Amino acid sequence: MNAEETITQGEYDILGTEQLQKIYGGDLGEALKYYRQAAGLTARELSRKMNITPAALSNYENNKRRPDLEFIRDVAHQLDLSIDTLLESI
């Protein structure tokens, strides 16, 4: 995939190559934790909203697991952020 190509999944936001590199190479976990705390949510509260376990969210926040596009879209929605805003911080 070259820099001009993008990935889209259904009606999800479009993610370009640069954004995908941030997801897989940057500190997305730190950004997730920062924005979760800024929204005034505990990990348990956010995990309930997203229908995932607190352990799964912890794995994302501690960079032990890399999120897929659906997770990125859902967490941005739950935190009332655009995907761009979430990824700009990493």
Side-chain angles (χ1 to χ4, degrees), residues 23 26-30 58-66:
I23 292 170
D27 193 357
L28 182 61
E30 189 64 36
S58 176
N59 284 337
Y60 290 123
E61 288 186 350
N62 291 303
N63 293 312
K64 292 180 180 177
R65 184 171 180 193
R66 291 294 180 189

Side-chain angles (χ1 to χ4, degrees), residues 1 10 14-17 20 23 25-26 28 33 39 47-48 54 60 67 72-73 76-77 81:
M1 183 161 85
I14 295 172
L15 295 179
T17 303
L20 289 172
I23 292 170
L28 182 61
K33 188 173 184 178
S47 64
R48 272 194 209 134
Y60 290 123
I72 296 293
R73 182 203 53 86
H77 174 75
L81 299 170

Side-chain angles (χ1 to χ4, degrees), residues 1 6-17 19-21 23-24 28 50 60 66-77 83 86-87:
M1 183 161 85
T6 58
I7 292 180
T8 183
Q9 188 176 28
E11 296 181 24
Y12 299 160
D13 293 337
I14 295 172
L15 295 179
T17 303
Q19 290 172 312
L20 289 172
Q21 288 171 341
I23 292 170
Y24 292 105
L28 182 61
M50 295 181 64
Y60 290 123
R66 291 294 180 189
D68 59 16
L69 295 176
E70 184 176 347
F71 176 87
I72 296 293
R73 182 203 53 86
D74 192 26
V75 75
H77 174 75
I83 291 175
L86 179 62
L87 299 180

Side-chain angles (χ1 to χ4, degrees), residues 31-42 45-47 49-50 57 61 71-82 85-86:
L32 289 173
K33 188 173 184 178
Y34 170 81
Y35 283 116
R36 174 182 56 77
Q37 291 174 339
L41 295 171
T42 65
E45 291 168 334
L46 180 57
S47 64
K49 286 181 163 217
M50 295 181 64
L57 182 60
E61 288 186 350
F71 176 87
I72 296 293
R73 182 203 53 86
D74 192 26
V75 75
H77 174 75
Q78 293 298 333
L79 296 175
D80 198 27
L81 299 170
S82 71
T85 300
L86 179 62

